[in-house]
Amino acid sequence: MAVTDRVKQILSWYSSENPGTLTNLVRLLNHGALAGTGKLVILPVDQGFEHGPVRSFAPNPESYDPDYFYQLAIDSGCNAYAAPLGSLEQPAAKFAGQVPLILKVNNSDTLAKVEPCSAITSSVEDALRIGACAIGYTIYPGSALRNQQYQDLREITLEAKRKGLVVVVWAYPRGTGMSKQGETAIDVTAYAATISAQLGAHIIKVKPPTAFIEQEEAKKVIEKYQIPVSTLTERIRYVVQSCFNGKRIVIFSGGEAKSTESVLGDIKELAAGGAFGSIMGRNAFQRSRTDALKLLADVMTVYKNA
Amino acid sequence: MAVTDRVKQILSWYSSENPGTLTNLVRLLNHGALAGTGKLVILPVDQGFEHGPVRSFAPNPESYDPDYFYQLAIDSGCNAYAAPLGSLEQPAAKFAGQVPLILKVNNSDTLAKVEPCSAITSSVEDALRIGACAIGYTIYPGSALRNQQYQDLREITLEAKRKGLVVVVWAYPRGTGMSKQGETAIDVTAYAATISAQLGAHIIKVKPPTAFIEQEEAKKVIEKYQIPVSTLTERIRYVVQSCFNGKRIVIFSGGEAKSTESVLGDIKELAAGGAFGSIMGRNAFQRSRTDALKLLADVMTVYKNA
Amino acid sequence: MAVTDRVKQILSWYSSENPGTLTNLVRLLNHGALAGTGKLVILPVDQGFEHGPVRSFAPNPESYDPDYFYQLAIDSGCNAYAAPLGSLEQPAAKFAGQVPLILKVNNSDTLAKVEPCSAITSSVEDALRIGACAIGYTIYPGSALRNQQYQDLREITLEAKRKGLVVVVWAYPRGTGMSKQGETAIDVTAYAATISAQLGAHIIKVKPPTAFIEQEEAKKVIEKYQIPVSTLTERIRYVVQSCFNGKRIVIFSGGEAKSTESVLGDIKELAAGGAFGSIMGRNAFQRSRTDALKLLADVMTVYKNA
Amino acid sequence: MAVTDRVKQILSWYSSENPGTLTNLVRLLNHGALAGTGKLVILPVDQGFEHGPVRSFAPNPESYDPDYFYQLAIDSGCNAYAAPLGSLEQPAAKFAGQVPLILKVNNSDTLAKVEPCSAITSSVEDALRIGACAIGYTIYPGSALRNQQYQDLREITLEAKRKGLVVVVWAYPRGTGMSKQGETAIDVTAYAATISAQLGAHIIKVKPPTAFIEQEEAKKVIEKYQIPVSTLTERIRYVVQSCFNGKRIVIFSGGEAKSTESVLGDIKELAAGGAFGSIMGRNAFQRSRTDALKLLADVMTVYKNA
Amino acid sequence: MAVTDRVKQILSWYSSENPGTLTNLVRLLNHGALAGTGKLVILPVDQGFEHGPVRSFAPNPESYDPDYFYQLAIDSGCNAYAAPLGSLEQPAAKFAGQVPLILKVNNSDTLAKVEPCSAITSSVEDALRIGACAIGYTIYPGSALRNQQYQDLREITLEAKRKGLVVVVWAYPRGTGMSKQGETAIDVTAYAATISAQLGAHIIKVKPPTAFIEQEEAKKVIEKYQIPVSTLTERIRYVVQSCFNGKRIVIFSGGEAKSTESVLGDIKELAAGGAFGSIMGRNAFQRSRTDALKLLADVMTVYKNA
């Protein structure tokens, strides 16, 4: 399809990247129900690795099958499907070319209780081999091991950019550096998104932040300058602004599975705040296929009308 | 767009390739006016390098500008645009994601009169950097230097396949090993196409063969088994059969610019013989843009109805 | 299946090779109708590349399809199927694990009339990628370019052995260094086989030699010591002796397609002379499938009873 | 512009460096309002990464946009603009060649409370790719992890010098090895600057030291030899002397945003003490653009008249 | 200095390059008397290597000293100085940062009379080490060895672009493929310039072409389309058009030393035809310094007023 003015505007923010990376950005932005709008809804499934199969797939046993996610992403018109190597690779030949792929190159399990740090579980070479448009990488700002994560990301990013791939960073603040509540605090979320942009991410994924403020110094500034962070819409706007004044694609996760009403309520606020889209895992695949398709369609409609 | 049954059938012939290569095959097969039909019309422009600018672009001065070919390929709905590094790279950022690219990684000029052998002028790394789906490579079976060409191709092919790219081989028999007439002989053309397939090509491009037979031994066999090669349609059928019994995509060039009627007449025979498509350079870009768009549309219609 | 005493004896001659290469030798020796006998019948198909499709496949049009050779090798109980990259790779995923593969890594076409030298058309890396047990390589002793061929073989052999593959050398004397008749002379054939062994080949393939003697010095010695070379059986015995006194597997080709009777007559002499087996291309695949299966079964019976 | 005698004198201290590094030193010294004076005012913006977006950019919301810093550095006539990869890269193509860049290759966030150690977040390769003249690196003398930092710096420095880049070291004493007050103690500051010079830094950046003395042994010596450290000017002189007797460029930071009067008062003392310049982040960009331009102009005037 | 609108327009043609290369392009375009005009006058001195010292430097003995060329390039306000490694490196530290450098990475001597092919005499690594902005490379289209030259250039270009350097190609048609007169024929010159652009050159340097036409096929086309090539101005316009319709910087050499009047007459025609500038070696340095400065100033004035 043609490249819309909005997509061209987004590409103009990435003018330091080579044409290969721009091409893969277009592939993500020009696929599915939101093609051309500059908005993205992405289906991510790393829960098998991150939470184990019981917690992840038991609510919807069809989802044990890797085909299920490909088919769901294709049929729902998601812009892309993101997963660890195994899930992507197993049916990759079968679904080749039907939906843009994001290879999640690091992953963390929950069998060891240690300072958060994902293992690097696949590579740029794997991404090319299976035909992915992008690599995905999780950082845990707040972890005592964050530096190793940033350094590994730097190397992967350099290679990915040279090979024309897009770099998507999942920024999940956690670790000994912060309180549990702080992990989704507005100041911390905006900070984590900024770090991702500084590390060279093309697309940044964070959780929708709460109004809680973790850092004392941030609190003072927010109060002094009366930065509006009381509604989710305001907070989303602030996070997007924190990423090069909106010149990076910032998308938001849905978090734990919850009611349709609640999900759509959140999405409306995200869209109103200027979010570039959503990445919906459990809320999509832990519903029945019919319900998931309905929900994703509704979510896409919200973004299309934003 | 969805992958049609015909495209799935074609992909089934490439089941030894990795999903990245399959993905790029789909990108070629699912783009443009012939998307999903399993047919391809490709715009190739290496004449600037191969014949010099005067002979190539003077007939249509707009074509001096690299933008022109991108726009022509996009507007006409070609499946892909193929060219040497310089032409592809100059406006690659501007047109990122709008048409699949084939990077022609070797090229030959006509300033030195030597045994035919192209220079390697770009690389798999370049292809990834500018966002190409495929690399293109010319071999000259019949040249005393053919072995070097085959060996270089082998290395490039191995890397291209590892990185998920498609390999397109242009097979042009010529050199001290054969007569001028033999360069387009049916036996030689089929032989060159077979060599390309054996070397691992995913897509093979040859010239439409004449009824002339170059090799005495081939002549005897063709006569003994009464292989029908008197019409172009029959010869095309034979060339396609020679490529793994039709399990490789074989496309045909148009050659020198000629009358519209003559071009379309040829295309009808190609299509009737089972050609997977055409690669049309001079016949496209040495016409005015309006005429080129009209001709390409007519050519695509022939293939669509085949 | 278990490893027989005869196979163990053969393996004992290769005790300097690493276990990976021994394992692949066992795969070749323990497959098919001759499994465990220490004898081999191999189906080789490089004629598409070497002679062109018309001469190779027209006599049996089913053979245009790469599936055909796999199926013939499997159904006839051949120990292995040998071919260039393209033919092996196209249906490799479909037939994975059903018959041992020998990847012919160099090949020569007959479109250029130059000093004989094959192009390297695939690699050890390719062999591993498609699951082959062995690589095959042709040398042309007598060619002015033989040294380049020996040097390339040396590098490929080193890599193949390091990666645990078997090295099969096709030794075809020809070139400016000898007369046409000399190409199959007994002294030349034995000499070429010795060169192959010296270059590190695990399996050596030559043509059944004639009683002609090419080199004057060889003639004198053969006469002086009354080496018996008047029957094919005697000549085979001499060639096998020339390869480390029989401690290398030496197999023989059939040459051009000919009558069943003639083929079987030759095979009986080969077997009587101690040949380790035959490599039968055109005599197998230029017959109808039914005839080919019958012939291959008869050939195997001869070797089984030898 | 021509190279002044003062710049030539400075270059003479770096005669062991290769011409590429000298060239980039000239690019820094010959750019902007202070070009040719041997003085430097640099705009550094790593606060987004180091302190988070709220604390950094909320005081001047225009500064969320990476364009803002480039434009401020250009319009104010700063010698260079220093930042982490993301901020530098995003608009790098747009501002190419308009202001010398220093790529800050390591960075530390304040979300984890651990022993101070920055993560390496970009590379010499990145610096070349985006057209930077220099790389910047922070060390934390006093940190239990300082050795790792020194070792990483050593490797980066070796590569940077080989590729003709300038190495700027930010030396911030902190960590379990010292008191809070000691971080800016005169003895510690001079010591940290010396370590930087010893590690091969071309330009050293420290904080203006206080009169506090951290180490007992240092105190004794300062008293014994009556080293004057009571005024800021004296302390600056001492730090500069500590860096190869003034044969390394030493510049000073401004620290937290404060009043214009206070900033200029400090700068006068710095200039009087022989500082080669200032690196002004928050005091520049947390003012309005108009105020920032005015302040930077005043600061440059002080240095020009020094 | 600021980047003018004209320079910005030129940069827009290179949007697929990374910011490092754009930065070095600006360094070339923003230096010297023609800074900001989009025009370039470059001093090249490879005659010592190419023609030997006697022929090169005897007319002006001061020019034996490598300092001489640096000083001439600086004092005359040339945009850059181009030379082989030795000349550039010897005084590089002394003149660091005073004039942009182009490292000529291949060179040919005239001691052996063989098919023209330059030796690669320095590297991208050398260019970075001595602080050059660009590498220069000569190709000889028409040489039987041209393919090797193109292939070497491809590798050097890929590395240069990755490291942020500019690639300047000197295209000198010569060799067994063409007549002596053909070396500067209009068709051949335009062809050689096109090849350079296709190979990825950022700046292309050819000789001013004559009205002679070498290739019969080109002659027919030039006549058929009545392409005006009778005046130098017309021919320059045609060569510039042949380089991506003017979207590549094309500069012209002066050739052998001749009268001032003759040089300036040529330059006026070059400028009128849209040349981006001149590269003047012998006409500059084989005059006395005073005369050379005068001539270069006059040449620059012509370009400034064009």
Side-chain angles (χ1 to χ4, degrees):
Chain A
M1 66 169 290
V3 171
T4 62
D5 287 348
R6 174 58 179 162
V7 170
K8 279 182 187 161
Q9 183 188 30
I10 292 173
L11 292 179
S12 75
W13 306 333
Y14 296 88
S15 61
S16 296
E17 304 298 334
N18 67 36
T21 293
L22 300 181
T23 298
N24 275 314
L25 260 180
V26 173
R27 284 182 182 135
L28 293 173
L29 290 165
N30 259 12
H31 184 87
L34 291 172
T37 62
K39 301 284 165 52
L40 299 123
V41 171
I42 294 172
L43 178 70
V45 188
D46 55 5
Q47 282 77 7
F49 200 116
E50 304 270 336
H51 304 158
V54 172
R55 287 171 57 196
S56 306
F57 307 134
N60 179 11
E62 285 187 282
S63 68
Y64 283 105
D65 191 330
D67 280 16
Y68 182 78
F69 304 114
Y70 270 92
Q71 207 59 63
L72 182 60
I74 293 164
D75 294 345
S76 63
C78 278
N79 295 68
Y81 164 45
L85 182 61
S87 311
L88 277 198
E89 187 183 42
Q90 193 274 330
K94 181 173 174 183
F95 292 101
Q98 300 193 33
V99 60
L101 302 177
I102 300 170
L103 176 61
K104 195 66 195 351
V105 298
N106 71 346
N107 282 96
S108 181
D109 66 51
T110 46
L111 290 173
K113 273 131 196 133
V114 287
E115 190 64 9
C117 183
S118 297
I120 300 174
T121 53
S122 56
S123 65
V124 168
E125 189 87 8
D126 287 311
L128 293 172
R129 182 170 61 82
I130 65 169
C133 295
I135 59 103
Y137 188 96
T138 297
I139 57 172
Y140 295 124
S143 165
L145 299 173
R146 73 201 186 290
N147 281 2
Q148 188 57 48
Q149 301 167 42
Y150 299 168
Q151 294 182 189
D152 290 340
L153 174 56
R154 167 188 64 100
E155 285 184 19
I156 291 168
T157 296
L158 185 63
E159 187 188 357
K161 291 185 173 188
R162 191 185 293 144
K163 304 278 170 67
L165 296 180
V166 169
V167 176
V168 187
V169 171
W170 271 242
Y172 287 152
R174 67 179 65 160
T176 48
M178 66 186 52
S179 71
K180 187 69 197 164
Q181 217 183 347
E183 295 180 357
T184 51
I186 173 60
D187 60 326
V188 166
T189 301
Y191 195 166
T194 294
I195 288 171
S196 305
Q198 292 291 6
L199 289 168
H202 299 120
I203 299 178
I204 296 154
K205 186 262 188 176
V206 288
K207 292 187 182 173
T210 66
F212 180 75
I213 300 171
E214 169 82 358
Q215 297 191 300
E216 203 47 49
E217 303 89 331
K219 195 165 193 166
K220 283 182 208 152
V221 176
I222 286 172
E223 281 166 3
K224 179 174 176 192
Y225 293 96
Q226 299 188 318
I227 299 172
V229 295
S230 57
T231 69
L232 180 55
T233 295
E234 289 168 344
R235 294 189 295 269
I236 295 300
R237 186 167 296 126
Y238 186 68
V239 172
V240 171
Q241 185 184 35
S242 295
C243 293
F244 298 164
N245 206 28
K247 291 182 179 170
R248 279 295 174 262
I249 297 170
V250 189
I251 57 179
F252 295 85
S253 56
E256 292 188 20
K258 46 191 177 179
S259 77
T260 300
E261 200 174 350
S262 162
V263 170
L264 286 174
D266 282 2
I267 298 293
K268 274 169 199 157
E269 292 215 58
L270 294 177
F276 287 74
S278 285
I279 187 157
M280 298 194 63
R282 281 168 288 174
N283 276 302
F285 71 77
Q286 291 187 347
R287 276 169 168 75
S288 73
R289 188 177 134 88
T290 312
D291 290 353
L293 287 171
K294 174 78 175 70
L295 177 63
L296 286 166
D298 290 347
V299 166
M300 291 173 196
T301 300
V302 173
Y303 279 114
K304 221 177 294 183
N305 298 335
Chain B
M1 67 169 290
V3 172
T4 63
D5 287 348
R6 175 58 179 162
V7 170
K8 279 183 188 160
Q9 182 188 30
I10 292 173
L11 293 179
S12 76
W13 306 332
Y14 296 87
S15 60
S16 296
E17 304 298 335
N18 67 37
T21 294
L22 300 181
T23 298
N24 275 314
L25 260 181
V26 173
R27 285 182 182 135
L28 293 172
L29 290 166
N30 260 13
H31 183 87
L34 290 172
T37 63
K39 299 285 165 51
L40 299 124
V41 171
I42 293 172
L43 178 71
V45 189
D46 56 6
Q47 281 78 7
F49 200 116
E50 304 270 335
H51 304 158
V54 172
R55 290 170 57 195
S56 307
F57 307 134
N60 179 13
E62 287 187 281
S63 69
Y64 283 105
D65 192 326
D67 281 14
Y68 182 79
F69 304 114
Y70 270 91
Q71 206 61 60
L72 182 60
I74 292 164
D75 294 345
S76 62
C78 278
N79 296 68
Y81 164 45
L85 181 61
S87 311
L88 277 198
E89 186 183 39
Q90 194 273 327
K94 181 173 174 181
F95 292 100
Q98 299 192 33
V99 60
L101 303 177
I102 300 171
L103 177 62
K104 195 67 194 353
V105 298
N106 71 347
N107 282 96
S108 182
D109 64 55
T110 49
L111 289 173
K113 276 123 196 145
V114 289
E115 190 64 11
C117 184
S118 296
I120 302 174
T121 53
S122 55
S123 64
V124 168
E125 188 85 8
D126 287 310
L128 294 172
R129 180 169 63 83
I130 66 168
C133 294
I135 58 103
Y137 187 96
T138 296
I139 57 172
Y140 295 125
S143 165
L145 300 173
R146 73 202 185 290
N147 280 3
Q148 188 56 50
Q149 301 168 42
Y150 299 169
Q151 293 182 189
D152 289 341
L153 173 57
R154 166 189 64 100
E155 284 183 21
I156 291 168
T157 295
L158 184 63
E159 187 188 355
K161 291 185 173 187
R162 193 184 293 140
K163 305 278 170 66
L165 296 180
V166 168
V167 176
V168 186
V169 171
W170 271 242
Y172 287 151
R174 68 178 62 159
T176 49
M178 66 185 52
S179 71
K180 188 72 198 163
Q181 219 183 346
E183 295 179 357
T184 51
I186 173 61
D187 59 325
V188 166
T189 301
Y191 196 164
T194 294
I195 288 171
S196 305
Q198 292 291 6
L199 289 168
H202 299 119
I203 299 178
I204 295 153
K205 187 265 189 174
V206 289
K207 292 187 182 172
T210 66
F212 181 74
I213 300 171
E214 169 83 357
Q215 297 191 302
E216 205 45 50
E217 303 88 331
K219 196 165 195 169
K220 284 182 206 151
V221 176
I222 286 172
E223 281 165 3
K224 180 173 175 193
Y225 292 98
Q226 299 188 319
I227 298 173
V229 295
S230 57
T231 69
L232 180 55
T233 295
E234 289 168 344
R235 293 190 295 270
I236 295 299
R237 186 168 295 125
Y238 185 67
V239 172
V240 171
Q241 185 185 35
S242 295
C243 293
F244 299 163
N245 207 28
K247 291 183 179 167
R248 279 294 172 264
I249 296 170
V250 189
I251 58 179
F252 295 85
S253 56
E256 293 187 18
K258 46 191 176 181
S259 76
T260 300
E261 201 173 351
S262 163
V263 169
L264 287 173
D266 282 3
I267 297 293
K268 274 167 199 158
E269 291 215 58
L270 295 178
F276 288 73
S278 285
I279 185 156
M280 297 194 64
R282 282 168 289 174
N283 275 302
F285 70 79
Q286 291 188 346
R287 277 170 167 74
S288 72
R289 189 177 133 88
T290 312
D291 289 354
L293 288 171
K294 173 81 176 70
L295 178 62
L296 287 166
D298 289 346
V299 167
M300 290 172 195
T301 300
V302 173
Y303 279 115
K304 221 177 292 182
N305 298 334
Chain C
M1 65 170 288
V3 171
T4 63
D5 287 347
R6 175 57 180 163
V7 170
K8 280 183 187 160
Q9 183 188 31
I10 292 173
L11 293 179
S12 75
W13 307 333
Y14 296 88
S15 60
S16 296
E17 303 297 336
N18 66 37
T21 294
L22 300 181
T23 299
N24 275 314
L25 260 180
V26 174
R27 283 188 183 130
L28 294 171
L29 290 165
N30 261 11
H31 182 87
L34 291 171
T37 64
K39 300 286 165 48
L40 299 122
V41 171
I42 294 171
L43 178 69
V45 188
D46 55 6
Q47 283 75 9
F49 200 115
E50 305 271 334
H51 304 157
V54 171
R55 289 169 58 195
S56 307
F57 307 134
N60 179 12
E62 286 187 281
S63 69
Y64 283 105
D65 192 326
D67 282 14
Y68 182 79
F69 304 114
Y70 269 92
Q71 206 61 62
L72 181 61
I74 292 164
D75 293 347
S76 64
C78 278
N79 296 69
Y81 164 44
L85 181 61
S87 310
L88 277 199
E89 184 184 43
Q90 194 274 327
K94 180 173 175 183
F95 292 101
Q98 300 190 34
V99 60
L101 302 177
I102 301 171
L103 177 62
K104 195 64 194 355
V105 297
N106 69 346
N107 282 97
S108 181
D109 65 55
T110 49
L111 289 173
K113 275 124 197 145
V114 289
E115 191 63 11
C117 183
S118 296
I120 301 173
T121 53
S122 55
S123 64
V124 169
E125 189 86 9
D126 287 310
L128 294 172
R129 180 168 63 84
I130 65 169
C133 294
I135 58 102
Y137 187 96
T138 296
I139 58 172
Y140 295 125
S143 165
L145 300 172
R146 72 201 184 289
N147 282 0
Q148 187 57 49
Q149 301 168 43
Y150 299 167
Q151 291 177 194
D152 288 343
L153 173 57
R154 170 187 60 98
E155 284 184 22
I156 290 169
T157 296
L158 183 64
E159 187 187 356
K161 292 186 173 186
R162 192 183 296 140
K163 306 273 171 73
L165 296 179
V166 169
V167 175
V168 187
V169 171
W170 271 241
Y172 287 152
R174 67 178 63 159
T176 50
M178 67 186 52
S179 71
K180 186 71 197 161
Q181 218 182 347
E183 294 179 358
T184 52
I186 172 61
D187 59 327
V188 167
T189 301
Y191 195 166
T194 294
I195 288 170
S196 304
Q198 293 290 4
L199 288 168
H202 299 121
I203 300 178
I204 296 152
K205 186 264 190 174
V206 289
K207 292 187 181 171
T210 66
F212 180 76
I213 300 171
E214 170 83 356
Q215 297 190 299
E216 203 48 47
E217 302 87 334
K219 195 165 194 169
K220 285 182 204 153
V221 176
I222 285 171
E223 282 165 2
K224 181 174 177 191
Y225 293 97
Q226 300 188 317
I227 298 172
V229 296
S230 58
T231 68
L232 180 54
T233 295
E234 288 167 344
R235 295 191 294 270
I236 296 299
R237 186 167 296 125
Y238 184 67
V239 172
V240 171
Q241 185 184 36
S242 296
C243 294
F244 300 164
N245 205 29
K247 290 183 177 168
R248 278 296 173 264
I249 297 169
V250 188
I251 59 179
F252 296 84
S253 57
E256 293 188 16
K258 44 190 177 180
S259 77
T260 302
E261 200 173 351
S262 164
V263 170
L264 286 173
D266 282 2
I267 298 293
K268 274 168 199 158
E269 291 215 58
L270 294 178
F276 287 74
S278 285
I279 186 157
M280 298 193 63
R282 281 168 288 174
N283 276 302
F285 71 79
Q286 290 188 346
R287 277 170 168 73
S288 73
R289 189 176 134 87
T290 312
D291 289 355
L293 287 171
K294 174 77 175 71
L295 178 62
L296 286 166
D298 289 347
V299 167
M300 290 173 196
T301 300
V302 173
Y303 279 114
K304 221 177 293 182
N305 297 336
Chain D
M1 64 169 291
V3 172
T4 63
D5 288 348
R6 174 60 179 161
V7 170
K8 279 183 189 161
Q9 182 188 31
I10 291 173
L11 293 179
S12 75
W13 306 332
Y14 296 87
S15 62
S16 295
E17 302 298 335
N18 68 39
T21 294
L22 299 181
T23 299
N24 276 313
L25 259 180
V26 174
R27 284 183 181 133
L28 294 172
L29 289 166
N30 260 12
H31 183 87
L34 291 172
T37 63
K39 301 284 166 50
L40 300 123
V41 171
I42 294 171
L43 178 70
V45 189
D46 56 4
Q47 282 77 7
F49 200 116
E50 305 271 336
H51 304 157
V54 171
R55 288 169 58 196
S56 307
F57 307 132
N60 179 12
E62 285 187 281
S63 69
Y64 283 105
D65 192 327
D67 281 14
Y68 182 79
F69 303 114
Y70 270 92
Q71 207 59 62
L72 181 61
I74 292 164
D75 293 346
S76 62
C78 278
N79 296 69
Y81 164 45
L85 181 61
S87 309
L88 277 199
E89 185 184 42
Q90 194 273 328
K94 181 174 174 182
F95 292 100
Q98 300 192 34
V99 61
L101 303 177
I102 300 170
L103 177 62
K104 195 66 193 354
V105 298
N106 70 346
N107 282 98
S108 181
D109 65 53
T110 48
L111 289 172
K113 276 126 197 143
V114 288
E115 191 63 11
C117 182
S118 296
I120 301 173
T121 53
S122 56
S123 65
V124 168
E125 187 87 8
D126 288 310
L128 294 172
R129 180 168 63 84
I130 65 168
C133 293
I135 58 102
Y137 187 95
T138 297
I139 57 171
Y140 295 124
S143 165
L145 300 172
R146 72 201 185 290
N147 282 0
Q148 188 56 48
Q149 300 168 43
Y150 299 168
Q151 293 177 194
D152 289 342
L153 174 57
R154 169 187 61 98
E155 284 185 22
I156 291 168
T157 295
L158 184 63
E159 187 189 356
K161 292 186 172 186
R162 191 184 296 140
K163 305 277 170 68
L165 297 180
V166 169
V167 176
V168 186
V169 171
W170 272 241
Y172 287 152
R174 66 179 64 158
T176 49
M178 67 186 52
S179 71
K180 186 71 195 164
Q181 217 181 348
E183 294 179 359
T184 51
I186 173 59
D187 60 327
V188 166
T189 301
Y191 195 166
T194 294
I195 287 171
S196 304
Q198 293 290 4
L199 287 167
H202 299 120
I203 298 179
I204 295 154
K205 187 262 190 176
V206 288
K207 292 188 181 171
T210 65
F212 181 75
I213 300 172
E214 169 83 357
Q215 298 191 299
E216 203 48 48
E217 302 87 332
K219 195 165 195 168
K220 284 183 204 153
V221 176
I222 285 172
E223 282 166 0
K224 179 174 178 192
Y225 293 97
Q226 299 188 317
I227 299 172
V229 294
S230 58
T231 70
L232 180 55
T233 295
E234 288 168 344
R235 294 190 295 270
I236 295 298
R237 185 167 296 126
Y238 185 67
V239 172
V240 171
Q241 185 185 35
S242 295
C243 292
F244 299 166
N245 204 28
K247 289 185 179 168
R248 278 294 173 264
I249 296 170
V250 188
I251 58 180
F252 295 85
S253 56
E256 292 188 18
K258 44 191 177 181
S259 75
T260 300
E261 201 173 351
S262 162
V263 170
L264 287 174
D266 281 1
I267 298 292
K268 274 168 201 159
E269 291 215 58
L270 295 177
F276 287 74
S278 285
I279 187 158
M280 296 193 65
R282 281 168 289 174
N283 275 303
F285 70 79
Q286 291 188 346
R287 277 170 168 73
S288 73
R289 190 177 133 86
T290 312
D291 290 353
L293 287 172
K294 174 80 175 71
L295 177 63
L296 287 166
D298 290 346
V299 166
M300 290 173 196
T301 300
V302 173
Y303 277 115
K304 222 177 292 183
N305 298 335
Chain E
M1 66 170 290
V3 172
T4 62
D5 287 348
R6 175 58 179 163
V7 170
K8 278 183 188 159
Q9 182 188 30
I10 292 173
L11 293 179
S12 74
W13 306 332
Y14 297 86
S15 61
S16 296
E17 304 298 335
N18 67 38
T21 293
L22 299 181
T23 298
N24 275 313
L25 259 181
V26 173
R27 286 183 182 135
L28 293 172
L29 290 166
N30 260 12
H31 183 87
L34 290 172
T37 63
K39 301 283 165 52
L40 298 123
V41 171
I42 293 172
L43 178 70
V45 189
D46 55 5
Q47 282 77 7
F49 199 116
E50 304 269 335
H51 304 157
V54 173
R55 287 171 58 196
S56 305
F57 307 134
N60 179 11
E62 286 188 280
S63 69
Y64 283 104
D65 190 329
D67 281 16
Y68 182 79
F69 304 113
Y70 270 93
Q71 205 60 61
L72 182 60
I74 292 164
D75 293 345
S76 63
C78 278
N79 296 69
Y81 164 45
L85 181 62
S87 313
L88 278 197
E89 187 183 41
Q90 194 275 328
K94 181 173 174 182
F95 291 101
Q98 299 192 34
V99 59
L101 302 177
I102 300 170
L103 177 62
K104 196 65 195 352
V105 298
N106 70 347
N107 283 96
S108 181
D109 64 53
T110 48
L111 290 173
K113 275 132 196 134
V114 287
E115 190 65 9
C117 183
S118 297
I120 300 174
T121 53
S122 56
S123 65
V124 168
E125 190 85 9
D126 288 311
L128 294 172
R129 181 170 61 81
I130 66 168
C133 294
I135 59 104
Y137 187 96
T138 296
I139 57 172
Y140 295 124
S143 165
L145 299 172
R146 73 201 186 290
N147 280 2
Q148 189 56 50
Q149 301 167 42
Y150 299 169
Q151 293 183 189
D152 290 339
L153 174 56
R154 167 189 64 99
E155 285 183 20
I156 290 169
T157 296
L158 185 62
E159 188 188 355
K161 292 186 173 188
R162 193 185 291 143
K163 304 277 170 67
L165 296 180
V166 169
V167 176
V168 187
V169 171
W170 271 242
Y172 287 155
R174 67 178 63 158
T176 50
M178 66 186 53
S179 71
K180 186 71 197 164
Q181 217 182 347
E183 294 179 358
T184 51
I186 172 61
D187 60 325
V188 166
T189 301
Y191 196 163
T194 294
I195 288 171
S196 306
Q198 293 290 6
L199 289 168
H202 299 120
I203 299 179
I204 295 153
K205 188 265 189 173
V206 288
K207 292 187 182 172
T210 66
F212 181 75
I213 300 172
E214 169 82 357
Q215 297 192 300
E216 203 46 50
E217 304 89 331
K219 194 166 195 164
K220 284 182 206 150
V221 175
I222 286 172
E223 281 165 5
K224 180 173 175 193
Y225 294 97
Q226 300 188 317
I227 299 173
V229 294
S230 57
T231 70
L232 181 54
T233 294
E234 288 168 344
R235 295 190 294 270
I236 295 300
R237 186 167 294 126
Y238 185 68
V239 173
V240 171
Q241 184 184 35
S242 295
C243 292
F244 298 163
N245 207 29
K247 292 184 178 168
R248 279 293 174 265
I249 296 170
V250 189
I251 57 179
F252 295 84
S253 55
E256 293 187 17
K258 45 190 176 182
S259 76
T260 300
E261 199 173 351
S262 163
V263 169
L264 287 173
D266 281 2
I267 297 293
K268 274 167 200 159
E269 291 215 58
L270 295 177
F276 288 73
S278 284
I279 185 157
M280 297 194 65
R282 281 169 288 174
N283 275 302
F285 71 79
Q286 291 187 347
R287 276 169 169 75
S288 72
R289 189 178 133 86
T290 312
D291 289 354
L293 287 172
K294 173 79 175 70
L295 178 62
L296 287 166
D298 289 347
V299 167
M300 291 173 195
T301 300
V302 173
Y303 278 115
K304 222 176 292 181
N305 298 336

